[in-house]
Amino acid sequence: MAKNSGRSRETRGASTKPAQKPLWRRIVRGVLVWGAALALLGAIFLGTAIFFTMRELPDYGALKSSQNGQMIVVRARDGRELVSLGPSYGRWLTYNDIPPIMRDALVSVEDRRFRRHPGVDPIGLARAVYVSFTTDHRAKATSTITQQLARNIFLNNTRSWTRKAREMVLALALERKFTKDQILELYLNKVYFGGGAYGVDAASRKFFGHPGTELSTAEAAIIAGLVKAPSNYSPTADVEAAIGRGKVVLSLMAREGVITQSEAENVDFSNVSVAKEKGQNSVRYFTDWALPQLDMLLPENNEPIEVWTTLDPDMQNAATKAVDANAPKGAQGALVSLDRDGAVLAMVGGTDYVNSNYNRATSALRQPGSAWKLFVYLAALEAGYTPDDHVVDEPVTIDGWSPQNAGRTFAGQIDIRTAFAYSKNTIAAQLGNEVGFGTVASMAKRFGITSQINTKPAMVLGTSEVRVIDMTRAFAAVSAGGTSVEPYGIVKVTTTSGELLYEHKSVPGSVLVPHYVAAGITDLLQTTVATGTARAAQIGRPVAGKTGTTSSNKDGWFLGFSSGITTGVWMGRDDAKPVPGLSGGHAPARAFADYMKVAVAKRPVEQFDTQLKLPEWQLEPDDEQMQGNPDDYYYTDENGNMVRPDVGPGIGDQPRYEDGSEVPGPAMVPDYGPQGGGQGAPPPAVGEDFLDRATGRGREDPGMRQGQGAGYPGARPTQAPPRVVPMPRATGTRTPGTQF
């Protein structure tokens, strides 16, 4: 009995000790408790944020009237409207007015769980996080339709966690305040479909030419596919890409059960008629270049504005026709035309803006060929050459490089003018080597070339790539007498009510080269058109210009000016493949002539200033001219004052200073004695002592016989006297490879 009670006490004692739980269970329990607490706090915080956000949201009517984007009306220099850019809003379509196939297509491709989530898709978020952690790919966009609507109306596209969090809160608030149908109606009337079209109705009218209420299944699929990348899938820019994207939308609709697979496969896209794009002509090359400059010219502004530009519509039409008519088959063309102050009168960036909006006039880098010789000869003229100087067209090798002329012939001794007019490569190489290839590169930079320039010998033939607008700017500076020209396209900017926001101010150009250098290069350029390689550019009035053709006929250039207008033309293929028969003196020169005949038609004929007014250091002795009246001469008295003899017809007139006052002392009485002291022959102009000192006569010279000085008959130096070497001057015939 006692034994049993003892065991009973032991059992009771053991049962009173608390059981020790494993450590991992305690950790899990702590994590769950703290996680639940944090989740509760987060839910409270999120609910509070949604509540206050929902209270601050505008009502449905206010959201309908809000618009995105800025309307920009672009005007020509004469005030005519060139194009209207910015948002285009069609008629507001209610939920029931929007075709069901359009609603289903957009939901299928943008947010297939739209009807089931509260504004944020947790399944989509979880999948995105999983993908980002298990692969090297970034998480794809997970924004729901409601989130996209919140971003379009209230936020921007900045990529940050803060913006994403605000977007989610706004989406949850929108779902609490409005119905799914209202949210979808707002979205379909406000989403951007490309080409400035906001909303289904605007997109339908822009791309298909009819209201959004008449959309077919194929058209709805194409429009729904635009939201992802409007510029990539625009039917007016790339029909095949738009149809391909539309087929993807149809497959997604079939997967969601909106349509059957058979219906998706039987949709006929060949019946889709794309409306002709309005305003998408060559003017857009100009607006694409000019309008981004507004970011620097204007303060931040979202109200509608009118931009008055330098573009001349008639010249623009002529430029477009000239490029289209002369560009070889399969080749592209570009043209830039500048007024004497740098105003862009016309700009063509390609043969068809709709098919390719790449602006070859301002963005493409191509080799200029012989047009680059402008800078070679500018450097040579600045160094002292003149158009009449003689050079020798003969084989030359510089650092292992041996340039060849067209036809592989050599003309022998010719002048600079002829060498430039007939684009002699050997002469350009000699000149570049003589003045220095770095000097040529510096000259190009001075005249506005912004691209990289190499300084290898072959650079004189235009191996460095340049832009059309930069080369045109350089030729415009020559036309301006050697002063810089800055291209510009915007004259002024106003609000639609007429308030002036910006106005272009003309600034005098800086002097790039002396006037005589500009006159000399103009002489060469004019000869090139009159008798050289650019005769096709003649227009019945003075024209100065230069052709350029690269190896294998990959690029053809002509740049020139007349009557204050400078125009540059380039032609070639985008893939830089050869174009049979392309040369600067043919298609580009003809395009230049076709355009310039229209451009200068209303301008007076202007003769070029090619008269060389050389500086004194460059004049030969027989070219120097005395300034003023030869009878007016001066001498200095013992005090260094300038004295004018001012001798009249009578003897004994008093010498006078330059101001007319008399010089103190006896009158000047001529003495014509035989020894200088009586009436007879006039005295020598200078004394023998002066001549001896000036010429060295009478000085002892160890190399001469005693008693005989240099300069006297019979003087016999034992070694030749030192030869006086004048300062190098770029005149006469040059030896290839000679350096200053």
Side-chain angles (χ1 to χ4, degrees):
M1 189 85 169
K3 187 177 181 179
N4 291 337
S5 66
R7 283 197 303 269
S8 177
R9 283 194 301 269
E10 289 177 5
T11 302
R12 287 196 301 271
S15 63
T16 59
K17 289 184 178 181
Q20 188 72 20
K21 293 183 179 180
L23 177 63
W24 67 269
R25 288 189 177 181
R26 296 200 303 272
I27 294 175
V28 170
R29 180 180 179 183
V31 169
L32 292 175
V33 171
W34 281 104
L38 292 174
L40 179 61
L41 289 175
I44 294 173
F45 177 80
L46 180 62
T48 304
I50 294 172
F51 174 76
F52 284 104
T53 301
M54 185 174 61
R55 289 184 57 183
E56 295 176 359
L57 286 176
D59 59 26
Y60 196 75
L63 292 179
K64 285 176 62 176
S65 62
S66 64
Q67 295 183 346
N68 297 323
Q70 182 182 32
M71 174 68 75
I72 301 176
V73 177
V74 183
R75 298 192 179 278
R77 63 190 301 154
D78 60 2
R80 279 183 280 176
E81 183 177 323
L82 294 174
V83 65
S84 180
L85 304 174
S88 173
Y89 296 94
R91 186 172 67 88
W92 186 275
L93 301 181
T94 65
Y95 180 83
N96 293 326
D97 290 334
I98 301 171
I101 192 68
M102 182 70 246
R103 302 196 304 258
D104 294 338
L106 197 68
V107 170
S108 297
V109 72
E110 288 298 314
D111 187 4
R112 58 194 179 94
R113 282 184 288 274
F114 171 70
R115 297 287 179 179
R116 301 191 294 274
H117 63 65
V120 176
D121 186 3
I123 297 177
L125 284 173
R127 184 176 63 251
V129 172
Y130 173 78
V131 169
S132 64
F133 275 101
T134 57
T135 68
D136 294 333
H137 302 290
R138 293 181 59 186
K140 295 183 178 180
T142 57
S143 295
T144 64
I145 284 177
T146 314
Q147 286 176 263
Q148 293 179 48
L149 179 65
R151 181 172 65 248
N152 290 340
I153 296 178
F154 303 108
L155 304 173
N156 53 41
N157 291 321
T158 303
R159 292 180 177 272
S160 66
W161 288 108
T162 303
R163 195 271 297 164
K164 195 69 176 176
R166 293 179 61 196
E167 177 186 295
M168 291 181 179
V169 171
L170 283 167
L172 293 170
L174 285 169
E175 292 272 356
R176 305 284 78 75
K177 188 164 186 175
F178 305 114
T179 66
K180 290 285 187 180
D181 290 352
Q182 287 178 315
I183 291 173
L184 191 57
E185 178 184 322
L186 283 170
Y187 183 82
L188 283 167
N189 280 282
K190 285 185 169 294
V191 68
Y192 182 60
F193 290 104
Y198 285 82
V200 170
D201 190 65
S204 179
R205 294 175 188 274
K206 179 179 181 61
F207 299 126
F208 307 119
H210 58 71
T213 54
E214 303 173 8
L215 287 170
S216 65
T217 301
E219 292 170 342
I222 290 175
I223 289 181
L226 290 172
V227 177
K228 180 179 180 181
S231 60
N232 293 343
Y233 302 119
S234 172
T236 56
D238 192 338
V239 176
E240 294 301 322
I243 292 176
R245 177 62 177 166
K247 291 179 178 179
V248 172
V249 174
L250 290 175
S251 66
L252 292 174
M253 293 173 68
R255 190 177 70 180
E256 293 301 311
V258 176
I259 58 176
T260 65
Q261 187 63 39
S262 176
E263 289 174 331
E265 294 173 354
N266 291 330
V267 173
D268 187 5
F269 285 92
S270 64
N271 292 329
V272 175
S273 178
V274 178
K276 186 177 180 180
E277 190 77 7
K278 296 180 179 179
Q280 300 296 323
N281 51 34
S282 64
V283 170
R284 290 299 306 274
Y285 288 116
F286 171 78
T287 58
D288 288 353
W289 169 76
L291 294 184
Q293 301 171 25
L294 293 174
D295 292 338
M296 297 182 293
L297 302 179
L298 297 179
E300 187 173 349
N301 174 51
N302 293 321
E303 60 181 314
I305 59 175
E306 294 188 353
V307 181
W308 300 72
T309 70
T310 59
L311 203 73
D312 186 299
D314 296 332
M315 294 185 189
Q316 180 68 24
N317 291 335
T320 303
K321 292 178 181 178
V323 171
D324 291 344
N326 292 283
K329 185 178 180 180
Q332 282 286 349
L335 181 150
V336 174
S337 186
L338 304 177
D339 209 341
R340 62 178 81 247
D341 67 340
V344 177
L345 301 173
M347 178 181 287
V348 178
T351 56
D352 191 337
Y353 182 86
V354 174
N355 290 332
S356 174
N357 59 12
Y358 179 61
N359 195 335
R360 297 157 188 83
T362 60
S363 300
L365 287 168
R366 304 300 293 247
Q367 291 183 350
S370 291
W372 182 265
K373 291 175 184 175
L374 172 78
F375 308 117
V376 179
Y377 281 79
L378 277 169
L381 292 171
E382 189 175 57
Y385 279 90
T386 67
D388 294 319
D389 285 343
H390 291 285
V391 287
V392 179
D393 178 20
E394 61 185 1
V396 60
T397 299
I398 303 172
D399 295 339
W401 172 65
S402 300
Q404 296 291 332
N405 294 322
R408 297 184 178 274
T409 60
F410 303 96
Q413 181 170 301
I414 56 177
D415 58 27
I416 288 288
R417 185 180 292 106
T418 303
F420 187 85
Y422 290 94
S423 201
K424 295 294 185 179
N425 292 337
T426 59
I427 303 302
Q430 294 177 51
L431 295 177
N433 186 51
E434 186 168 345
V435 302
F437 303 114
T439 302
V440 175
S442 176
M443 182 66 71
K445 289 291 185 182
R446 196 190 310 177
F447 272 74
I449 300 302
T450 57
S451 50
Q452 187 174 0
I453 302 173
N454 72 71
T455 55
K456 296 180 179 179
M459 64 90 71
V460 297
L461 304 186
T463 57
S464 299
E465 295 181 328
V466 294
R467 297 177 178 86
V468 178
I469 192 170
D470 286 348
M471 287 294 291
T472 308
R473 174 188 182 185
F475 276 76
V478 174
S479 176
T483 59
S484 63
V485 173
E486 185 70 31
Y488 71 98
I490 297 177
V491 177
K492 66 177 181 178
V493 182
T494 66
T495 63
T496 53
S497 60
E499 179 186 355
L500 184 65
L501 301 177
Y502 165 80
E503 187 171 20
H504 176 76
K505 302 294 184 183
S506 297
V507 178
S510 57
V511 176
L512 304 178
V513 291
H515 184 270
Y516 72 90
V517 174
I521 197 68
T522 303
D523 183 345
L524 305 184
L525 293 168
Q526 182 176 230
T527 305
T528 303
V529 177
T531 62
T533 60
R535 290 187 293 272
Q538 296 174 2
I539 60 174
R541 64 170 67 196
V543 175
K546 184 72 181 75
T547 58
T549 307
T550 60
S551 60
S552 303
N553 304 95
K554 296 177 181 178
D555 302 274
W557 294 74
F558 182 80
L559 302 108
F561 50 86
S562 179
S563 300
I565 295 179
T566 305
T567 301
V569 180
W570 165 88
M571 291 181 182
R573 290 174 59 97
D574 287 336
D575 57 10
K577 291 182 178 179
V579 180
L582 177 63
S583 68
H586 292 90
R590 288 195 297 268
F592 171 89
D594 291 347
Y595 165 73
M596 289 292 283
K597 288 175 183 177
V598 177
V600 303
K602 298 180 180 179
R603 296 195 175 203
V605 176
E606 296 181 13
Q607 301 295 329
F608 296 126
D609 180 9
T610 58
Q611 182 178 359
L612 297 185
K613 300 175 182 178
L614 300 176
E616 292 183 3
W617 66 267
Q618 200 174 344
L619 294 173
E620 295 286 1
D622 56 354
D623 293 332
E624 295 177 355
Q625 299 178 1
M626 294 185 62
Q627 303 296 321
N629 190 337
D631 295 331
D632 293 338
Y633 66 96
Y634 303 85
Y635 68 94
T636 58
D637 64 8
E638 63 276 11
N639 296 319
N641 298 312
M642 295 297 295
V643 178
R644 185 178 64 186
D646 200 14
V647 177
I651 296 176
D653 288 346
Q654 190 71 15
R656 300 177 182 275
Y657 286 113
E658 187 177 3
D659 61 3
S661 60
E662 293 185 351
V663 177
M668 294 182 63
V669 180
D671 184 357
Y672 298 134
Q675 304 301 323
Q679 302 296 324
V686 294
E688 290 294 331
D689 290 341
F690 175 81
L691 291 175
D692 289 341
R693 290 194 304 272
T695 62
R697 291 185 300 186
R699 289 183 298 178
E700 293 294 332
D701 189 332
M704 301 181 184
R705 289 186 301 183
Q706 188 176 2
Q708 292 182 331
Y712 279 90
R716 298 174 59 186
T718 58
Q719 55 182 328
R723 182 171 65 92
V724 178
V725 180
M727 290 294 290
R729 180 179 175 277
T731 58
T733 303
R734 265 68 177 183
T735 301
T738 302
Q739 300 231 10
F740 277 120

